Amino acid sequence: LQQGADLVATNGEGSSFLLTAVASGVAAPAIEALLDNGAFADVAGPDGLTPLQIVVAALQEGVQDSIERERLETIKALLEKHGAKMPAIPAGERLAEMRKTFGLKVVTSLLTLQCPLSLPVEVLEVLNVLLRELPL
């Protein structure tokens, strides 16, 4: 942080500093420092899970270690203090909702309006996910 780390940046796997720290068992004061210095509390990782969802899932699994439980509860409170909210639709169901909403017709329309080679890589990745799962 002292050298100006970009807290919005992601690693090669698509995870932010905050998401990696939460998932790796980093202490709550370090999580708080990331949040206080501009890390976004609600940014999901490549699997669609936010830091808050990871913490809540771990707590629901029944953490036996009292120190780890306290760490997770403190991080949960910090994330909520910085605006994190549980999504209305669970991560696994979000993709299904996108498929229903954006379906094959929207994908076809998008591809007929613009040459696929000129689309941003991010759009192509979303299309890849959607097309893999659509019933054709």
Side-chain angles (χ1 to χ4, degrees):
L1 291 176
Q2 293 173 345
Q3 295 178 357
D6 180 3
L7 297 180
V8 180
T10 58
N11 63 17
E13 297 172 358
S15 294
S16 67
F17 283 110
L18 179 63
L19 193 64
T20 302
V22 168
S24 301
V26 171
I31 303 292
E32 185 172 24
L34 291 172
L35 290 165
D36 288 345
N37 284 282
F40 294 121
D42 270 340
V43 174
D47 58 0
L49 296 174
T50 65
L52 184 58
Q53 287 174 298
I54 291 170
V55 169
V56 168
L59 287 168
Q60 288 174 344
E61 288 176 9
V63 178
Q64 301 300 321
D65 181 32
S66 62
I67 294 172
E68 177 63 6
R69 175 168 282 290
E70 182 179 333
R71 181 188 84 85
L72 290 169
E73 288 177 355
T74 301
I75 291 171
K76 180 178 183 266
L78 287 168
L79 290 166
E80 289 171 340
K81 174 183 163 191
H82 283 84
K85 296 189 180 352
M86 289 295 285
I89 301 172
E93 294 175 24
R94 267 192 273 169
L95 188 55
E97 283 295 315
M98 285 177 60
R99 284 186 209 115
K100 282 186 213 170
T101 304
F102 295 107
L104 190 56
K105 289 182 181 178
V106 172
V107 172
T108 303
S109 297
L110 178 63
L111 292 176
T112 56
L113 291 174
Q114 189 163 356
C115 173
L117 296 175
S118 65
L119 293 171
V121 173
E122 295 83 6
V123 172
L124 293 174
E125 289 172 357
V126 169
L127 289 173
N128 181 34
V129 170
L130 289 171
L131 288 173
R132 272 189 304 193
E133 302 298 326
L134 280 174
L136 299 176

